[in-house]
Amino acid sequence: MPSLVRSIPIAALSAPDFLGVGRLDGGRRPAAKAYFWSLNDFACRPASAEIMVLVSYMIRRDYLVVGAGIGGASACEGIRKYDKRGSVTLVGAEAFPPYKRWILSKSFLREKEANPKKLQEVDERWFDAHKIEARFGTVVTQFNIERRLAVLANGESIEFTKACLAMGSRPIRPAMAGTSLGNVIYLRTTRDALALREMANLEKTIMVVGGGLLACESAASLRMMKMKVGLMHRDAYLLNRYIDAETGAWLTEFFTKHGVVLSMGEALNGFEGKTVLRNIQTKSGNRFPVGLAVVACGAEPNLDLVRNTPLAGPHGSPVTEYLETEEKGIYAIGDLAFYPDRIMGGMRRQTHWENAREQGLVAGANMTGKKRIRYEQVPYFWTEMFDLRMDFVGDFTLPPTRVNLDGTYPKKKFIARYYQGDKLRGILLCQQTQREVDAAKSQLRQAQGK
């Protein structure tokens, strides 16, 4: 860590110096660095009227982006579009540059040879070309809102004018026995995917726990790799958070026909084993002998850095339509942002790639002060399972009161429109073209009067 040691006569220290953080630059504010010290830095020199002060320099930046996923990378892109000269630092905990996280449960898992470079969304050289300091494999341990100060794990500090929080999500670990056993995988990062690939070659019996998007994608990919795959879900059909019962029953049967052994209505009770997984126990008392488990029981926003501050709420980090928190100059995007949905109404938090990408561009532009853009997008996400492509346009948070189906399940090509009363709220498209997806977005806007 860049630092220096200075010897200071005790007489030179005034009383106010001991009340907080002092400065060794005579009150001047350097353009790039400022030297700070505190009482914790003092070490007395024996038989001397001086003390030794260990001083670390503080980096000053116009913009700090915390989180190096697609949201953080897009925020940098948005900043540079409108501010070519402002100083920018991007800090990310993962060692890899921003990458296509959504591929991890799909093609990346199935490829014969793993090539992490194929995942990259933004080439590392892009940051150098745009004069953005990118620090990968770096963790922010403290975030001081009032002082606009971020402390890194290596002890360095970054003083910023504006910041964007883009820390994403982390997998939920069920509060039960055995969740940290070897061969229990939580698929979130490139390292997780590489570990799963390696273990899957050794353990041929795999259980996927969960019935959402990640669980279904992982189970489908592992089955396409000719693995013996089971899937355990506590509800009656797959993707029950998003689709209606009739479509869910068809999808569940579709997985069965592709050789996935389903255990529906089974709730997880714990993992058994001394050091590695041996059995999965359910609340009904059943035991499944498996050597590898993929746990996909949801995700939660990474808000520990700003816990117990106004930036952390029960549903994420509350932001305005401009993606700014109540702390002026601090923005939150992607999996963190609990934002007002200007199209569908209400407040919403989305955990999907397209949302993080678009919000990053909007927040980055707004941070510069040279643009004022509202985030206004129809909620959208998609999934691939076996040979199916399904696009979800609109709001799927509530069960529909009415479903209109165009097409048929046996042909695996249909459009299902979900209504709340007489109002169209969501459109599910199976095996449809991009043109149809775009038309669905327009239809939903019109239905909401937007």
Side-chain angles (χ1 to χ4, degrees), residues 384-401:
E384 286 180 352
M385 300 165 291
F386 296 109
D387 58 346
L388 284 183
R389 160 96 184 204
M390 302 176 79
D391 295 87
F392 295 77
V393 180
D395 180 14
F396 296 85
T397 56
L398 295 174
T401 58

Side-chain angles (χ1 to χ4, degrees), residues 147-333:
R147 292 182 55 198
R148 299 298 165 102
L149 183 70
V151 180
L152 309 183
N154 66 0
E156 282 187 86
S157 298
I158 300 178
E159 188 181 33
F160 58 86
T161 302
K162 295 181 180 180
C164 181
L165 303 179
M167 292 89 75
S169 295
R170 59 173 176 245
I172 292 175
R173 294 196 173 211
M176 55 188 60
T179 55
S180 297
L181 283 173
N183 291 22
V184 177
I185 297 290
Y186 302 84
L187 184 55
R188 177 67 187 174
T189 67
T190 300
R191 292 185 186 277
D192 298 331
L194 291 171
L196 177 56
R197 286 173 55 94
E198 184 176 347
M199 291 180 185
N201 289 326
L202 301 174
E203 300 286 349
K204 299 301 183 182
T205 304
I206 305 169
M207 179 68 80
V208 178
V209 181
L213 294 169
L214 181 60
C216 290
E217 291 169 359
S218 301
S221 290
L222 291 166
R223 183 62 190 142
M224 292 169 73
M225 296 163 63
K226 309 301 181 185
M227 304 294 176
K228 185 178 179 181
V229 181
L231 187 148
M232 184 177 74
H233 185 38
R234 64 186 177 184
D235 289 289
Y237 59 89
L238 300 175
L239 298 188
N240 58 288
R241 285 182 55 196
Y242 306 106
I243 62 181
D244 62 285
E246 187 177 358
T247 306
W250 165 77
L251 181 65
T252 303
E253 179 62 21
F254 177 79
F255 267 68
T256 299
K257 289 180 179 178
H258 279 77
V260 178
V261 180
L262 298 178
S263 300
M264 308 303 291
E266 289 279 17
L268 180 67
N269 193 50
F271 302 96
E272 299 176 339
K274 290 185 178 180
T275 56
V276 296
L277 178 65
R278 289 291 176 260
N279 296 291
I280 295 179
Q281 186 184 51
T282 71
K283 290 185 177 179
S284 67
N286 288 327
R287 277 185 170 83
F288 296 94
V290 295
L292 176 60
V294 179
V295 182
C297 297
E300 58 188 356
N302 272 322
L303 286 171
D304 286 350
L305 187 63
V306 291
R307 192 72 65 193
N308 301 320
T309 75
L311 304 186
H315 303 292
S317 186
V319 296
T320 67
E321 57 194 1
Y322 299 99
L323 304 178
E324 189 173 24
T325 68
E326 69 174 58
E327 296 291 338
K328 189 172 177 60
I330 299 179
Y331 294 72
I333 61 172

Side-chain angles (χ1 to χ4, degrees), residues 62-63 78-86 162 331 362-373:
D62 297 311
Y63 309 100
I79 291 169
R80 275 293 174 257
K81 184 175 181 179
Y82 298 100
D83 186 347
K84 309 294 185 185
R85 303 181 65 180
K162 295 181 180 180
Y331 294 72
V362 169
N366 289 338
M367 288 171 73
T368 67
K370 298 177 181 178
K371 288 294 280 188
R372 191 74 168 155
I373 305 173

Side-chain angles (χ1 to χ4, degrees), residues 108-171:
F108 183 76
L109 197 58
R110 302 190 300 263
E111 290 175 348
K112 290 184 178 180
E113 297 292 333
N115 185 359
K117 288 188 177 180
K118 288 185 178 180
L119 293 172
Q120 286 189 8
E121 173 65 15
V122 180
D123 191 290
E124 200 165 351
R125 293 171 294 184
W126 181 88
F127 297 100
D128 292 333
H130 289 80
K131 297 181 180 179
I132 293 171
E133 180 191 27
R135 296 189 175 206
F136 305 119
T138 303
V139 176
V140 178
T141 58
Q142 297 177 51
F143 190 82
N144 190 306
I145 298 172
E146 292 183 358
R147 292 182 55 198
R148 299 298 165 102
L149 183 70
V151 180
L152 309 183
N154 66 0
E156 282 187 86
S157 298
I158 300 178
E159 188 181 33
F160 58 86
T161 302
K162 295 181 180 180
C164 181
L165 303 179
M167 292 89 75
S169 295
R170 59 173 176 245

